[in-house]
Amino acid sequence: MGKLFKTLIFDGEISLSVIDSTDIVNEAIKFHNLTPVCAAALGRVLTVTAFMSSSLKHEDERLSVTIEGDGKGGQIVTACDGKMHVRGLIGNPFADLPLNSKGKLDVGGIVGKNGSITVIKNLGLKEPYVGRCDLVSGEIAEDFTAYYAYSEQQPTAMAIGVLIGRDETCIGAGGIIIQPMPNCSEESIVKAEKLIGEFGDVSAKIHSIGAEGIIKEYFSEYDFTEYNPSYVCNCSKEYIDGILITLGEDELYDTVEKEGKIEVCCHFCDKKYVYYKKDVDKLLGK
Ligand SMILES: [Zn+2]
């Protein structure tokens, strides 16, 4: 389970979130057999998505993030709901690149710096909210910072990181995200930006001391509220039923005849849904 700690700092002028998403990234690695660089790219997006889920007010509110870059990894899609269930996928989970010039996993390269980031929020209103912004570097933190600034007019600073161990599991992932409150003073903004600068290696800090350790070391004077985002797919037989019905009777019976069954695999969690002729009959009420 992930951990997300939230509080207000600097006399209530800045909202601060400290996130440990290590477990969430490991679930994603398990489901999708990600290469380390894909795990880092998708993991960073999942980390911000977990943060975004904490802003949903009702359990049935949902949001999705689509990052469409021109890198080898292909499209990254993540989604979450008000229960803080987070899930995600990357188009080419086996894509790989050598380490970048700093000796780090080349997230910017695998995502690509030309493209867009789109956030769709279903908040129970008639129309969903759609925000869209060009990518800045494909390194994810900068891209989301730009998204928040341009699409939500919300200044944001974040340090996001994913550390992959020798065994290709995630050994530390998370981030620090700060957003000024509406009445925030210039002085607090400057202080907060300086603070974020201290977390250039946030994944190594999560690895060594955890989110709790970061709080103890840097923010021990504040009371935090803890949330627990987790990697949970919300696919269900009812959901797949609904998709199949839209394909129409002919198509369904054709496939069953040719293949003996219809197999649908959920892209987010790899769960397989299998329909034989009798299941199609039942689905169509025959
Ligand atoms: Zn699923």
Side-chain angles (χ1 to χ4, degrees):
M1 203 184 289
K3 290 176 200 160
L4 192 161
F5 298 93
K6 265 191 169 183
T7 195
L8 293 173
I9 59 171
F10 302 163
D11 296 328
E13 291 192 348
I14 301 268
S15 154
L16 166 78
S17 297
V18 182
I19 308 150
D20 179 343
S21 55
T22 311
D23 288 353
I24 292 173
V25 178
N26 274 322
E27 286 294 296
I29 292 172
K30 206 174 76 192
F31 284 129
H32 303 304
N33 291 314
L34 305 165
T35 57
V37 67
C38 283
L42 177 57
R44 287 186 194 179
V45 183
L46 284 168
T47 302
V48 182
T49 307
F51 163 74
M52 290 176 134
S53 76
S54 71
S55 70
L56 298 175
K57 295 193 173 56
H58 299 287
E59 289 197 346
D60 50 358
E61 291 184 357
R62 288 169 288 132
L63 73 79
S64 70
V65 177
T66 303
I67 295 189
E68 198 121 29
D70 60 350
K72 272 168 81 177
Q75 195 181 52
I76 294 176
V77 180
T78 61
C80 66
D81 59 27
K83 291 181 212 143
M84 301 191 84
H85 292 164
V86 182
R87 58 190 181 143
L89 58 87
I90 182 164
N92 304 310
F94 308 122
D96 209 356
L97 279 180
L99 298 178
N100 66 18
S101 56
K102 292 179 194 144
K104 305 251 181 184
L105 293 169
D106 190 0
V107 171
I110 212 79
V111 173
K113 66 178 191 307
N114 301 302
S116 64
I117 171 168
T118 306
V119 176
I120 300 177
K121 297 184 189 178
N122 288 291
L123 304 176
L125 306 169
K126 239 191 214 154
E127 298 286 326
Y129 160 89
V130 181
R132 192 187 180 87
C133 170
D134 285 343
L135 292 179
V136 175
S137 64
E139 293 282 343
I140 305 307
E142 289 169 312
D143 305 304
F144 273 106
T145 301
Y147 161 76
Y148 271 112
Y150 296 124
S151 293
E152 300 202 11
Q153 287 78 47
Q154 168 65 66
T156 305
M158 58 176 85
I160 302 289
V162 172
L163 191 62
I164 304 294
R166 288 216 180 102
D167 63 354
E168 303 201 346
T169 65
C170 175
I171 54 174
I176 312 282
I177 299 179
I178 54 175
Q179 294 182 320
M181 303 303 281
N183 57 347
C184 185
S185 66
E186 196 55 42
E187 190 197 340
S188 291
I189 291 181
V190 173
K191 255 164 70 183
E193 277 171 351
K194 208 170 140 204
L195 178 70
I196 280 288
E198 291 185 38
F199 292 95
D201 58 346
V202 66
S203 57
K205 281 199 170 74
I206 297 278
H207 171 61
S208 56
I209 57 177
E212 287 94 340
I214 289 174
I215 287 169
K216 214 168 140 196
E217 203 173 312
Y218 294 86
F219 310 107
S220 58
E221 68 268 45
Y222 300 107
D223 288 326
F224 283 80
T225 307
E226 180 175 352
Y227 302 87
N228 291 115
S230 54
Y231 195 109
V232 176
C233 189
N234 62 359
C235 69
S236 64
K237 189 173 175 306
E238 290 70 34
Y239 177 71
I240 305 292
D241 282 356
I243 293 175
L244 288 183
I245 286 172
T246 65
L247 293 177
E249 190 174 328
D250 292 350
E251 166 105 31
L252 294 176
Y253 280 119
D254 263 12
T255 312
V256 171
E257 193 144 299
K258 275 186 212 138
E259 321 269 337
K261 63 186 172 187
I262 299 171
E263 209 172 86
V264 183
C265 185
C266 173
H267 292 311
F268 287 104
C269 70
D270 256 359
K271 190 168 172 187
K272 277 196 180 65
Y273 295 86
V274 183
Y275 294 75
Y276 295 96
K277 177 162 180 306
K278 66 173 171 34
D279 304 308
V280 176
D281 289 343
K282 205 168 145 198
L283 184 65
L284 298 170
K286 303 218 165 178

